[in-house]
């Protein structure tokens, strides 16, 4: 298995809003859904999936283990709770959502528990999120790079995170980009706007296509059906080498997500 290139994110979406977003997405052809324990919406995501009638084997569902559940005796029970909420006997990908705050739970402990969850058939693949190169090295030492499907990180034209992306690539670990549109900031960028005009595309389509063309997976979210439909068209957009080079120049180390209680020492 490999992590699909294009999916639907559900961060910050709650209650009926997330039900509508996932329902619309599935109707439009999305088959990859990304959630997390801390989002507080797994039950609603499960409800939308069940109601959609889309067969389980056509879906790729990701959830993420929250830091409170990292201890070896808590991780698998918490994942089983997530499965119950999602109304499925397994997810396709389970990630460690953030590194353990202040290293309270060793990387080897939670990665070992996560690998055990995979061996029990609770998740088909496992991975990490918000991991630096140093933390990736620890995770690889614990379970082997072949058992780490992806590192899901903040990555967009203003934060291209090349040190982490290059290290992951060297070890066969796929990068999943979250906040690829930088909360909409990059959609107003003149360079991206010009590229979009040349391709008769939207700035969002250009940005998502850029990330996928670099080999990254993307999981944009939207509460608007029109945007969900439009974003999906990024899959068919091919940018030129010149377009890619222009976007490469936009990197400015502009990080938007770095909670003090969770953030590691970023690369």
């Amino acid at each position: 298995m490999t992590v699909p290139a294009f999916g639907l994110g559900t961060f910050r979406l709650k209650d009926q809003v997330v039900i509508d977003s996932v329902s619309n997405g599935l109707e439009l052809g999305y088959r990859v859904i990304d959630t997390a324990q801390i989002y507080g919406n797994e039950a609603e995501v499960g409800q939308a999936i069940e109601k959609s009638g889309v067969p389980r084997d056509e879906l790729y569902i990701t959830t993420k283990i929250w830091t409170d559940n990292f201890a070896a005796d808590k991780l698998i029970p918490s994942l089983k709770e997530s499965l119950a909420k999602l109304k499925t006997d397994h997810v396709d990908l389970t990630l460690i959502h953030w590194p353990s705050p202040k290293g309270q739970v060793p990387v080897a402990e939670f990665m070992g528990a996560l690998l055990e969850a995979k061996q029990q058939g609770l998740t088909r693949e496992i991975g990490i999120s918000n991991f630096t190169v140093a933390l990736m090295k620890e995770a690889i030492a614990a379970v082997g790079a072949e058992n780490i499907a992806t590192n899901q990180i903040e990555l967009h034209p203003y934060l291209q995170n090349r040190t982490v992306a290059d290290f992951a690539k060297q070890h066969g670990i796929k990068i999943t980009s979250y906040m690829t549109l930088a909360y909409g900031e990059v959609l107003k960028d003149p360079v991206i706007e010009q590229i979009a005009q040349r391709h008769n595309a939207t700035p969002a389509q250009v940005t998502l296509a850029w990330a996928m063309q670099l080999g990254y997976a993307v999981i944009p979210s939207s509460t608007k059906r029109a945007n969900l439909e439009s974003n999906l068209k990024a899959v068919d957009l091919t940018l030129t080498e010149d377009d890619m080079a222009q976007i490469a120049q936009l990197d400015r180390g502009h990080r938007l997500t770095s909670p003090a209680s969770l953030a590691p020492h970023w690369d």
Side-chain angles (χ1 to χ4, degrees), residues 90-209:
H90 73 282
V91 282
D92 299 280
L93 176 64
T94 305
L95 306 179
I96 294 295
H97 202 152
W98 282 88
S100 184
K102 298 184 176 137
Q104 288 161 350
V105 181
V107 172
E109 181 175 337
F110 58 67
M111 290 307 297
L114 197 55
L115 184 58
E116 173 63 24
K118 180 182 176 181
Q119 288 160 350
Q120 288 185 21
L122 303 174
T123 182
R124 294 175 72 186
E125 295 189 286
I126 63 173
I128 51 184
S129 183
N130 298 300
F131 270 44
T132 59
V133 169
L135 287 159
M136 278 195 284
K137 285 178 180 173
E138 285 192 63
I140 290 167
V143 298
E146 71 280 4
N147 280 308
I148 303 171
T150 192
N151 185 9
Q152 186 178 124
I153 56 173
E154 179 183 344
L155 191 149
H156 45 75
Y158 293 165
L159 180 75
Q160 299 191 18
N161 230 323
R162 292 192 185 101
T163 303
V164 169
D166 290 349
F167 181 86
K169 189 176 183 182
Q170 285 162 22
H171 291 83
I173 298 169
K174 186 157 183 142
I175 288 292
T176 301
S177 154
Y178 73 76
M179 287 183 20
T180 317
L181 308 179
Y183 285 144
E185 286 185 30
V186 298
L187 305 184
K188 306 176 198 88
D189 189 279
V191 171
I192 289 174
E193 285 182 329
Q194 284 165 12
I195 294 169
Q197 284 168 5
R198 284 202 297 275
H199 288 274
N200 197 21
T202 67
Q205 288 164 358
V206 166
T207 307
L208 295 168

Side-chain angles (χ1 to χ4, degrees), residues 7 23 62 66 73 116 126-127 132 223 231 234:
S23 299
T62 299
W66 188 242
D73 60 342
E116 173 63 24
I126 63 173
T132 59
T223 57
N231 288 347

Side-chain angles (χ1 to χ4, degrees), residues 31-106:
R31 291 296 178 263
V32 179
I33 312 290
D34 180 282
T35 182
Q37 292 175 344
I38 199 66
Y39 295 175
N41 64 14
E42 288 173 316
E44 289 78 11
V45 169
Q47 191 182 324
I49 289 170
E50 184 181 55
K51 203 168 150 195
S52 74
V54 175
R56 176 66 185 90
D57 62 3
E58 289 183 20
L59 295 170
Y60 188 98
I61 303 171
T62 299
T63 195
K64 310 179 198 81
I65 305 291
W66 188 242
T67 55
D68 294 349
N69 300 321
F70 283 177
D73 60 342
K74 288 185 178 175
L75 191 146
I76 286 175
S78 83
L79 179 54
K80 287 178 175 174
E81 280 182 36
S82 292
L83 297 180
K85 289 174 183 172
L86 288 162
K87 301 178 191 291
T88 183
D89 62 357
H90 73 282
V91 282
D92 299 280
L93 176 64
T94 305
L95 306 179
I96 294 295
H97 202 152
W98 282 88
S100 184
K102 298 184 176 137
Q104 288 161 350
V105 181

